[in-house]
Amino acid sequence: HRPPIQFRTGCFCNPGACQGALGLTDQQVIENFEKNGHVCGDHIDVVNGLPTGAVRVSFGKDSIWEDLDAVVTFVERTFVNHHNETCSESDFTCENPTKVPRSPSTTQVHISEVYLFPIKSCAAQRPRKWLLELPSGKLKYDREFALVDTSGTALRLQTCPKLGLISPVVDPESQKMTVSAPGCKDLVVNLSESLYHGGDNVVQVCGNKCGGRLWGDAEVSEWFSSFLGIQCWLARYSSSTAEINSPSNSKRVLRSGFSNEQPILLVSENAVAALNNVLVDQQQRPVDSKRFRPNLVVKAVGDENNSQHHQYRHIEDDWKTLSLANKDLSFKVEGGCPRCTMVDYDPATGQKGKTLRALAKYRRKNGSIVFGIFLQAIKYRKDNHEDIWIEEGDILDCNL
């Protein structure tokens, strides 16, 4: 915004008044601290879909009418929907006042890209196929590691953009992970569980506490700390169960790694194409699917040019279940993925764009900006001793 506007966020050193204004009970405030680690000055803005603070603009004796007018204009342009109420809540806020039509009851898509993220917030590894762990339903080794600072908090891309330049590659055969970064000698990390003899520690990921174990020796810590310029350690998710709060789902869910919510995140090429139309209209650079850190990217069968986004906006919005019939595997859609400023950062360069602002124009739902869907494996052959592999080209039947 020009001229720039400065905001303050949080409880403004008055937690009691903040609690009253937000309508939070004493128990909710206690749980925010004990279960989610929320303290003054952290980055936990929303817990269980409820805000933990407010946004404030201050005016003083030197403020003029034009200052107030600039703030009101900014809020109106950025957050107020002026279109008529023809889009239902399930259709999201839309630029076009014509109601977005629903897709057919069953849609076939094929998996066009498979990604795993061995180290949270670092670069993706793209295999042609990868093993699915059951019953957790996550890709093996996905988000199994994180880099933690001196407070035990996992580093994230929006506060440490150089994370995106770190490229881990897992070789399941040799049980080794090779990590590379510009200007650094490759680091090889052994994944064998038999080499670890320590205890569990608490690692905080997006405000949620879970079990983690420091992994590797001093050389491993020095490699990451030297490249990032931050004292940090490599932590591996422990096998102990941890619960997390899911903004997209009111129920508490079990964590299966350092993922934010559910084990599988899916986005469609159709959705990325729709977003790029908005970005181009705003004179911003288009983005690709890796900007959203998905595990699976899908494309509608027979829609090679992603033309369906003109008709359906995002084809995945109405899906309830997805199935891989030839592999006796089904997924349940657990909800949309609430987005934060992480999507603004180009994972290849660390440069910041304005992707979240573009999404805010048409992807608001229940107070969140949603893009992509979370999946949980719900049906598979328990008596089938064969491994289940997810691979590019697999056909998914998507049902309403």
Side-chain angles (χ1 to χ4, degrees), residues 73-114:
T73 301
F74 165 74
V75 171
E76 184 178 26
R77 186 177 66 247
T78 307
F79 298 105
V80 177
N81 175 26
H82 295 283
H83 302 301
N84 54 27
E85 300 297 329
T86 55
C87 292
S88 69
E89 183 178 271
S90 62
D91 293 321
F92 298 90
T93 302
C94 55
E95 295 274 325
N96 189 338
T98 303
K99 182 177 172 66
V100 179
R102 282 177 170 266
S103 55
S105 59
T106 301
T107 303
Q108 274 200 333
V109 299
H110 68 262
I111 298 175
S112 56
E113 301 167 29
V114 177

Side-chain angles (χ1 to χ4, degrees), residues 89-393:
E89 183 178 271
S90 62
D91 293 321
F92 298 90
T93 302
C94 55
E95 295 274 325
N96 189 338
T98 303
K99 182 177 172 66
V100 179
R102 282 177 170 266
S103 55
S105 59
T106 301
T107 303
Q108 274 200 333
V109 299
H110 68 262
I111 298 175
S112 56
E113 301 167 29
V114 177
Y115 294 105
L116 73 145
F117 300 84
I119 304 177
K120 185 174 179 63
S121 290
C122 293
Q125 176 180 345
R126 182 181 178 182
R128 297 304 171 188
K129 69 174 185 177
W130 201 257
L131 181 65
L132 186 74
E133 281 188 343
L134 294 170
S136 70
K138 79 179 185 77
L139 297 179
K140 190 174 179 63
Y141 298 115
D142 183 57
R143 294 171 173 89
E144 190 150 324
F145 293 88
L147 291 166
V148 299
D149 61 18
T150 54
S151 68
T153 301
L155 300 179
R156 304 188 68 205
L157 192 63
Q158 63 263 55
T159 55
C160 187
K162 289 183 71 175
L163 284 170
L165 304 179
I166 297 176
S167 299
V169 175
V170 171
D171 181 357
E173 296 294 329
S174 67
Q175 287 279 288
K176 295 183 185 300
M177 177 171 64
T178 302
V179 188
S180 60
C184 298
K185 182 180 178 180
D186 286 357
L187 173 70
V188 179
V189 179
N190 200 313
L191 303 180
S192 174
E193 292 275 357
S194 63
L195 297 179
Y196 179 80
H197 304 288
D200 283 3
N201 297 276
V202 174
V203 176
Q204 291 204 46
V205 178
C206 297
N208 295 296
K209 297 178 181 179
C210 56
R213 298 170 290 176
L214 296 185
W215 198 264
D217 54 19
E219 180 185 354
V220 172
S221 173
E222 175 60 29
W223 191 95
F224 288 107
S225 300
S226 176
F227 177 72
L228 295 174
I230 300 172
Q231 183 64 56
C232 60
W233 293 265
L234 183 67
R236 187 172 190 176
Y237 177 73
S238 70
S239 57
S240 58
T241 300
E243 288 187 335
I244 61 173
N245 294 307
S246 168
S248 64
N249 193 329
S250 59
K251 298 182 297 183
R252 294 179 69 82
V253 297
L254 296 181
R255 184 183 290 279
S256 56
F258 288 130
S259 58
N260 290 354
E261 294 191 35
Q262 299 292 340
I264 296 288
L265 174 59
L266 177 149
V267 303
S268 68
E269 291 189 21
N270 153 274
V272 177
L275 169 62
N276 283 332
N277 281 351
V278 178
L279 286 169
V280 170
D281 287 344
Q282 295 181 353
Q283 298 182 328
Q284 300 294 319
R285 291 183 178 181
V287 299
D288 61 22
S289 58
K290 287 192 290 186
R291 179 67 65 101
F292 305 97
R293 308 184 70 77
N295 297 114
L296 304 178
V297 181
V298 298
K299 187 173 191 175
V301 172
D303 186 29
E304 298 308 314
N305 296 319
N306 289 307
S307 59
Q308 286 193 23
H309 74 269
H310 297 299
Q311 182 179 7
Y312 300 136
R313 184 62 75 180
H314 291 188
I315 58 174
E316 68 271 26
D317 285 343
D318 298 323
W319 297 343
K320 298 296 186 293
T321 61
L322 298 85
S323 59
L324 277 168
N326 63 329
K327 298 183 180 181
D328 293 319
L329 176 67
S330 295
F331 295 97
K332 178 184 177 182
V333 177
E334 292 288 352
C337 178
R339 294 298 180 169
C340 64
T341 54
M342 184 176 286
V343 300
D344 284 339
Y345 292 89
D346 185 335
T349 65
Q351 294 183 335
K352 187 177 182 180
K354 297 180 179 179
T355 307
L356 190 66
R357 187 180 73 172
L359 286 174
K361 292 186 69 66
Y362 73 107
R363 295 298 295 176
R364 289 186 179 275
K365 184 177 183 181
N366 297 332
S368 298
I369 300 171
V370 180
F371 190 92
I373 55 176
F374 287 118
L375 304 180
Q376 174 68 59
I378 57 171
K379 181 182 177 182
Y380 50 90
R381 289 279 301 275
K382 295 182 180 179
D383 59 343
N384 187 353
H385 299 293
E386 296 183 5
D387 292 333
I388 296 181
W389 294 80
I390 303 294
E391 53 189 304
E392 294 181 0

